[in-house]
Amino acid sequence: MKKIIALILALAVCTAVFTGCTVKEKEESTTAEVVEVTDEASEEEVSEEASEEKTDAEQSELEALLANADGKLADIIEAGTITIATEGAWSPWTYHDETSDELTGFDVEMGKEIAARLGVQADFKETTWDAILSGVQSGRFDIACNGVGYTEERAESYNFSEPYIYTKQVLLVGADNEDITSYEDLKGKTTANSVGSTYAAVAEEYGATVTNVDTLDQTIELLLQGRIDATINAEVSYLDYINVHPDAAIKVVAKSEGEKVAIPTAKENTDSLVKAINLILEDMRADGTLTALSEQFFGGDITNP
């Protein structure tokens, strides 16, 4: 009988020990999970704090730059206005709302935001594409917000901001055109684009003869009438056109990497202005403004390479 009692007691002790071990293991596991979750949360918080600190630092740098402005930037601050060249006829970049006739578009709203963060008013001057860059170069306009592509050749004559949009370009032909299927097929053909545009330059590089036009609508009209064989343009502009004219008898036959789109200023006395714009663009990236505008007007985020 004593042996039986002793055996029962021994089993009870083992059970208690085993249960205790299991509970301890569960407690340690739960603790580990809590620590892991806490670590993840901490990483997110650190990332957010770092982003906020970066934005604050950029804001402080911008404030210091504006307080000690020189050159063109000083002139803009003194005038209380920044003059911005734009076409007003190139949706979704810059155009007039059909209902209100108000000037809007991605570049227009971005220009307004840049002006606001500089602490001045935005004064938009609508003009043709070929007058935009010459007007910036002569000082008639402070900057241009009009989907201007950065090229090394242009950089010899203008100061550019950092890119804020990265586009793709498309080769468009009539829906029944079977002769052109690639850029190489443009040799000896006719295209249409704004004079001085990078799209016109690309067409000429492939051997096409370029007809000069002012707007995308004019380009597509020539294409539909059969007066030109093809045209090269921004993919986002084509998609916007098709959204409004879904039955247009045109098609994409080739696509390639397009341009880094940036803001041009005159070459002289604009270093501080370009630096201020770059700080503003970086701040707009950090706080989501640039992405929101891209999604609003282009239907997606094309602000990164």
Side-chain angles (χ1 to χ4, degrees):
M1 185 66 178
K2 289 181 179 180
K3 289 182 179 180
I4 294 173
I5 293 173
L7 181 58
I8 292 172
L9 290 173
L11 289 172
V13 170
C14 288
T15 301
V17 170
F18 178 77
T19 303
C21 291
T22 303
V23 170
K24 183 177 181 181
E25 289 173 358
K26 288 183 177 179
E27 289 176 349
E28 289 176 349
S29 175
T30 302
T31 301
E33 290 176 1
V34 171
V35 170
E36 184 178 353
V37 171
T38 303
D39 287 344
E40 290 177 357
S42 298
E43 289 176 3
E44 291 177 359
E45 290 173 0
V46 169
S47 177
E48 290 177 0
E49 289 175 359
S51 178
E52 290 175 359
E53 288 175 0
K54 182 178 180 182
T55 301
D56 291 342
E58 289 164 353
Q59 188 63 31
S60 298
E61 187 176 356
L62 177 62
E63 290 173 353
L65 187 61
L66 296 179
N68 300 281
D70 60 9
K72 176 63 77 172
L73 180 60
D75 294 341
I76 290 170
I77 293 174
E78 182 179 356
T81 302
I82 182 169
T83 304
I84 305 174
T86 196
E87 282 183 276
W90 187 28
S91 178
W93 301 84
T94 162
Y95 63 98
H96 285 265
D97 182 87
E98 291 184 357
T99 302
S100 65
D101 198 39
E102 180 182 356
L103 181 66
T104 186
F106 176 87
D107 271 319
V108 173
E109 300 309 318
M110 186 188 67
K112 292 177 182 178
E113 190 68 27
I114 289 173
R117 299 191 189 206
L118 286 175
V120 299
Q121 295 294 316
D123 180 17
F124 287 95
K125 301 294 186 182
E126 294 181 55
T127 186
T128 58
W129 165 256
D130 57 322
I132 286 178
L133 289 179
S134 61
V136 168
Q137 190 175 43
S138 68
R140 180 185 172 196
F141 312 122
D142 297 322
I143 63 173
C145 289
N146 200 84
V148 180
Y150 171 88
T151 66
E152 292 184 1
E153 182 180 359
R154 283 178 179 166
E156 294 176 1
S157 303
Y158 306 90
N159 271 352
F160 277 92
S161 70
E162 291 296 319
Y164 60 88
I165 286 290
Y166 297 81
T167 68
K168 294 183 184 297
Q169 61 183 212
V170 290
L171 176 59
L172 304 174
V173 300
D176 58 353
N177 188 315
E178 301 298 333
D179 297 328
I180 300 175
T181 60
S182 69
Y183 287 87
E184 285 73 16
D185 294 331
L186 289 176
K187 187 174 182 179
K189 300 296 194 298
T190 56
T191 67
N193 279 107
S194 299
V195 61
S197 70
T198 53
Y199 304 121
V202 170
E204 289 174 344
E205 286 176 8
Y206 281 99
T209 300
V210 180
T211 297
N212 296 325
V213 294
D214 292 326
T215 69
L216 178 63
D217 284 346
Q218 291 175 353
T219 301
I220 301 301
E221 184 178 350
L222 291 177
L223 189 59
L224 293 173
Q225 292 173 351
R227 295 168 62 186
I228 58 172
D229 300 308
T231 185
I232 300 171
N233 218 290
E235 182 180 31
V236 291
S237 297
Y238 160 73
L239 293 174
D240 182 70
Y241 183 88
I242 287 298
N243 184 52
V244 179
H245 308 87
D247 298 325
I250 57 177
K251 64 182 178 181
V252 175
V253 292
K255 183 186 300 187
S256 67
E257 291 301 316
E259 302 174 308
K260 298 176 181 178
V261 178
I263 297 172
T265 70
K267 196 71 173 177
E268 303 297 328
N269 300 317
T270 58
D271 288 348
S272 293
L273 174 59
V274 171
K275 186 175 182 180
I277 291 173
N278 284 338
L279 288 170
I280 290 171
L281 290 176
E282 188 61 32
D283 196 32
M284 289 174 68
R285 285 186 188 280
D287 65 21
T289 302
L290 207 55
T291 294
L293 288 176
S294 179
E295 291 176 343
Q296 176 184 350
F297 289 102
F298 298 130
D301 186 3
I302 59 172
T303 63
N304 296 301

